[in-house]
Amino acid sequence: MDEARQKAVEQLKKERYFWKQAKWLTERFPEGKLRDVEGLVKLMGWAEIAANDWSLTPGRYVGVAPEEEDENFDFEEALCNIHVELEDLNAEAGKLAVIIKKNFEELGV
């Protein structure tokens, strides 16, 4: 049961990660076409590159993205996920402690 639960938790974490990445991309490229996004990408022409002495340093063109605050971040959900993971790790630590104790007893230590 614990193993199935762990697999389900891992699968849900992967799903959430890919969903967030897809959302991030569609927010920046809503029409599915490459466009200028400050701090990420800028479409350049040869004239502008030549005007910058042929420098291809990204910071010269792209700039710095404004700091984002995730208003939809769910602290309760994050804490719940951490709590679930901590419970699993504590259970595993208990099992490992028993195995280690048994191994020491077999070694006579």
Side-chain angles (χ1 to χ4, degrees), residues 33-98:
K33 294 183 181 178
L34 187 60
R35 65 178 183 90
D36 291 351
V37 177
E38 188 176 0
L40 181 64
V41 65
K42 180 167 177 153
L43 301 173
M44 301 295 304
W46 290 112
E48 193 170 352
I49 295 171
N52 281 301
D53 198 28
W54 300 99
S55 172
L56 297 177
T57 307
R60 185 175 289 222
Y61 305 101
V62 176
V64 178
E67 191 172 324
E68 293 181 19
E69 282 190 35
D70 187 0
E71 295 174 7
N72 296 323
F73 183 74
D74 187 352
F75 285 102
E76 187 175 337
E77 180 183 348
L79 286 175
C80 182
N81 289 339
I82 290 169
H83 181 70
V84 167
E85 188 173 352
L86 182 60
E87 282 183 1
D88 291 343
L89 291 172
N90 283 334
E92 186 176 347
K95 291 174 187 175
L96 290 173
V98 169

Side-chain angles (χ1 to χ4, degrees), residues 4-47:
R5 182 171 161 247
Q6 182 65 25
K7 285 182 182 180
V9 168
E10 290 301 318
Q11 185 62 33
L12 287 172
K13 284 181 183 178
K14 287 178 186 176
E15 291 269 335
R16 185 171 186 210
Y17 170 80
F18 285 112
W19 183 83
K20 280 185 167 184
Q21 298 306 311
K23 183 178 182 232
W24 186 88
L25 280 171
T26 55
E27 285 174 354
R28 283 149 184 83
F29 304 101
E31 290 112 28
K33 294 183 181 178
L34 187 60
R35 65 178 183 90
D36 291 351
V37 177
E38 188 176 0
L40 181 64
V41 65
K42 180 167 177 153
L43 301 173
M44 301 295 304
W46 290 112

